[in-house]
Amino acid sequence: MTEQTGATRQTGDAIVAAARGWIGTPYRHQASRRGVGCDCLGLVRGLWRELYGAEPERPGPYQPDWAERSGGDPLIAAAERHCGAALPLPQARPGDLLVFRWRAGCAAKHLGILSGADRFIHAYEQAAVVESPLVPGWRRRIAAVFRFPDRR
């Protein structure tokens, strides 16, 4: 992981600080409210609202098996629309969005926020928002890394 400088570091620091404020929020499918409930997408949506204002788009209702039925890679496509092109993993910095794919050839299905060199914050199903070690089992499932836009 590389060192951050300037506004990018400030944005990354703000994202990590905001994400840590969600720790302990219960897991609730399709929810996106700090302290009330969220899933992994809801965590990212809630952070976006806290840091940037209105969400750029609403995902609409989705079922737990949405990725298997939707075709394509909707999480990665949405991240590209709002954060730009994916970055190589070695360029990942705290505050970046991590997109995880459970199996090769399947759509990405999980999101988290890189919070340190080997840690990330995510909504863990049947638990809560937690900060977890980015152990090899998680690291090998990273499908893409995106950098949030700088705050204005």
Side-chain angles (χ1 to χ4, degrees):
M1 313 278 165
T2 59
E3 184 61 30
Q4 294 178 327
T5 59
T8 301
R9 179 183 181 127
Q10 291 171 349
T11 299
D13 290 348
I15 291 166
V16 171
R20 285 190 171 130
W22 285 67
I23 291 175
T25 296
Y27 185 91
R28 298 285 182 267
H29 178 66
Q30 295 189 42
S32 65
R33 297 282 179 207
R34 181 168 40 99
V36 176
C38 69
D39 58 13
C40 65
L41 177 57
L43 170 64
V44 174
R45 292 175 54 217
L47 289 171
W48 189 281
R49 288 192 309 265
E50 283 183 31
L51 296 163
Y52 300 98
E55 296 173 49
E57 68 181 85
R58 303 285 308 234
Y62 53 93
Q63 297 300 318
D65 65 348
W66 62 268
E68 289 84 359
R69 294 199 261 156
S70 68
D73 225 337
L75 288 180
I76 289 179
E80 288 172 340
R81 282 193 301 276
H82 306 298
C83 298
L87 303 168
L89 181 57
Q91 291 182 18
R93 299 174 177 168
D96 285 351
L97 176 66
L98 303 176
V99 183
F100 296 89
R101 184 183 319 281
W102 299 131
R103 291 189 323 258
C106 293
K109 260 189 101 159
H110 191 60
L111 302 168
I113 304 296
L114 188 65
S115 56
D118 293 309
R119 299 191 67 73
F120 73 113
I121 298 167
H122 60 128
Y124 203 69
E125 193 169 353
Q126 300 176 350
V129 175
V130 296
E131 188 166 9
S132 298
L134 191 56
V135 297
W138 279 111
R139 189 175 292 276
R140 74 173 166 261
R141 289 178 170 86
I142 296 173
V145 175
F146 294 93
R147 185 147 303 138
F148 286 90
D150 282 335
R151 294 176 13 166
R152 292 179 179 88

